Amino acid sequence: MRAALLIQRWYRQYVARLEMRRRCTWNIFQSIEYAGEQDQIKVPCSYPRFTKKLHNSPVFCTLGNLISHIFRENDMLKDIEWERYFNYKNIEIPEDYCGPHLTFPLTVSNVTELVEAFRNKQQLHSRYVLQLLGETWRLLRLLPNITHVSTCHKEITICGDLHGHLEDLLLIFYKNGLPSMETPYVFNGDYVDRGKNSIEILLILFAFLLLYPHDVHLNRGNHEDHIVNLRYGFTKEVLGKYRLHGKKILKLLQKIFSWMPLATVIDNKILIVHGGISDTTDLNIIAKMDRHRYVSSLKPPKQRRPLPKSKATSDHDIDVEEAEEGARDNIDGGAERRRVSSLTNSSPSAGLQRAMVQRRSLQTLDDELQERRRQAGLNVGSPHREPANHQSFCSDADAELTEAVEADAEEWKQIVDLLWSDPMTVDGCMPNEVRGGGCYWGPDVTEEVLNRHHMQLLIRSHECKQEGYEFCHNRRVLTIFSASNYYDEGSNRGAYIRLGPDLVPRVIQYQATRTTLDLTLRQSVGRTERSAMRALRQQLFAHKSDLISAFQQYDPDNTGRISLKDWAVALETVLHLALPWRVLRSQLVNSAQDGMLDYHSWFRELAISNPNKDVNTNVLETLYKHHSNLETIFRIIDTDNSGLISFEEFRQTWRLLSSHLKMDISDEAIMDLAHSIDFNKDGSIDINEFMEAFRLVDNTHHDISSNQNRAPP
């Protein structure tokens, strides 16, 4: 009996240790993911200036078309011109094409054939892709911002993030049935990025939407955003699979994303949004806004607001965003704006600052009109005294512009909160500084918003959960996440919800791969843990210079050694990942004598594959630190998507980047790096091999594995 109790106690402790490791691994993955999203939100502030420089560079003269297709948000084309631009009829289908064929209007056999083709790794021809996307765009424009759905004696299936995991979508269809009038679906955003089959998922969902427009409902997620897609893989996927017409496909998808509904309401009791809510969420405002103006949730809409009609100004208008940009450049010399708190929760005076910028733009316009009157020999009046009608005009114009700016800011905040927010356990509402956009909202906000709109449950996605779902806020908020193995194989399960007329959610869980099912708990945790530690080491190397500076503050005598306590504090100060560094020490530090760490030797353990001693180490570190943004820019430079970049393109790009990143790098150092990457010495760089050249190698991988193999079974 005593032996049995001892075995039971040992087993409980063993399982508890594994659970602690599993949760720690989860925190690593999630912290790195959110840090990346926070960096991504800063990107729109820097890309416009960078792309303007690219436009003026003769080497990148072919870049203009792609940049205008990807970055320009307000298109002046009318609907009929869009139809002409996306015309698919002149695209010929070769005789040897073996993929699925579509006829419009779509039939059930068309869509099932499409699903089966994607299951068998076939690709849909670009002619059909453009035709399918065009039909989807026309339909989405007819839909309201908030879709109202009724259970009506049948169950509705609700799916969360899919993120390009086609195997998860196919598994849901296998277990639950294909969408139909008897099996309606609500898909809650984030269909793209990260996974390898984002375009296939979109095409399947759009096809079912066209086939069953009253039974398939698609909400917009924060990844249905062309700026986010540039970083997280969807842009690269489309350009890789559709080299000839990929740009048109991306441009049409940009418009489609802006027309996706923002929320779904079931039986007037269940609210479904991608991210969440805030203390200012108002469904009445959301229902009335022009959602398509918000092409990207990362930037407020760019609008040309005409001045009130008058003889003097009937032919003039003001570009608000350009006026702001010019004023900022005059004030701070074009210095990069710094994000405060979160995307829409910035300085309280931000709205006032925008109004003042527009007031200055009005004054500038008035000065120009006065000068033109003077040149024409007209009486312009005293320069120190404005006519009464002029004062009235300026006052009315200021009031109109200020009111418009405030309305835009309120609508933008509503959308950002819906797409980016996360729940928290304590009461209140605060800026989401972890993601950099949206807010954290507490149980009291859930209670107030749901009660105000006579709702009983909020279903949202946006956050990966280990079990695929999670209740919070007294079970009035339910998070659903449908992409299993999101961070790595075995990292999490996927789930979906079935909701009947009783409005009681039933959660179905699954795992899309059988690989992890054959592993023991210890093996599964160890596999995921090793993947997380590799990702963490990459973050450490990417911030090497900042970390060394932080270490040196605790090493005033320049001994090269600091205490492990100071090491942990410095890591958190630089990385802001909120991780238990002391717990992770055994996996990050191989040797430390007398509680002291030689941090220079420690960094040498973070080795790089095929290092070249002749390459400037600052270049190496900076390239790795910004590898996501660099890869995005390389995709843009490689306009024919060949995967090859010439040395001159590489040099010109790095010169622009070094200016943008405020680094002083010589041409010689840049060319040394280019030659070191050109492994086959053909005078050009393979972009995929370039990224691989800076992949970190985990030197301690085998040590960790051997230590785990010696652990108790």
Side-chain angles (χ1 to χ4, degrees), residues 39-52:
D39 290 340
Q40 176 62 31
I41 285 179
K42 301 175 186 177
V43 168
C45 297
S46 58
Y47 267 131
R49 289 192 181 91
F50 181 72
T51 53
K52 286 178 184 177

Side-chain angles (χ1 to χ4, degrees), residues 324-514:
E324 279 190 302
E325 188 70 28
R328 277 197 303 269
D329 290 340
N330 289 334
I331 293 171
D332 59 19
E336 182 180 349
R337 289 176 293 166
R338 299 183 63 183
R339 182 185 60 81
V340 181
S341 296
S342 70
L343 198 61
T344 54
N345 293 275
S346 57
S347 169
S349 60
L352 178 60
Q353 291 172 357
R354 294 195 64 178
M356 292 300 296
V357 168
Q358 292 157 15
R359 180 185 296 270
R360 286 194 295 272
S361 65
L362 280 171
Q363 294 171 347
T364 302
L365 179 61
D366 181 66
D367 292 342
E368 181 182 351
L369 292 173
Q370 292 278 10
E371 178 63 25
R372 290 183 180 181
R373 289 194 185 102
R374 186 178 294 107
Q375 292 174 357
L378 300 176
N379 182 12
V380 297
S382 171
H384 302 290
R385 182 177 179 181
E386 296 176 345
N389 62 342
H390 173 79
Q391 294 177 354
S392 175
F393 161 73
C394 286
S395 177
D396 292 343
D398 284 358
E400 180 182 342
L401 280 170
T402 302
E403 182 179 353
V405 168
E406 290 176 352
D408 284 352
E410 175 61 25
E411 288 185 0
W412 183 39
K413 184 181 187 307
Q414 294 281 336
I415 288 182
V416 172
D417 287 343
L418 288 184
L419 301 184
W420 285 87
S421 296
D422 295 306
M424 63 180 180
T425 56
V426 298
D427 286 346
C429 190
M430 58 186 292
N432 191 334
E433 297 183 1
V434 176
R435 291 188 188 268
C439 70
Y440 282 118
W441 87 93
D444 59 329
V445 176
T446 296
E447 193 80 12
E448 192 277 327
V449 173
L450 291 183
N451 290 344
R452 173 158 40 94
H453 293 94
H454 309 290
M455 305 279 184
Q456 67 184 42
L457 177 66
L458 168 64
I459 296 177
R460 44 93 62 177
S461 303
H462 194 45
E463 284 185 290
C464 182
K465 300 297 180 182
Q466 286 185 319
E467 297 302 323
Y469 77 100
E470 182 179 87
F471 278 100
C472 65
H473 294 185
N474 300 316
R475 298 183 68 87
R476 297 200 71 179
V477 173
L478 172 56
T479 299
I480 191 72
F481 197 86
S482 298
S484 63
N485 310 300
Y486 178 60
Y487 294 120
D488 193 16
E489 283 198 27
S491 63
N492 66 284
R493 304 173 75 180
Y496 60 90
I497 300 169
R498 289 184 64 89
L499 197 68
D502 58 0
L503 299 183
V504 177
R506 300 170 182 82
V507 178
I508 294 89
Q509 299 169 281
Y510 56 85
Q511 195 102 29
T513 177
R514 295 191 58 86

Side-chain angles (χ1 to χ4, degrees), residues 210-224:
L210 294 173
L211 190 60
Y212 303 109
H214 301 293
D215 301 288
V216 174
H217 311 282
L218 307 179
N219 284 349
R220 184 179 183 178
N222 66 307
H223 277 262
E224 277 65 68

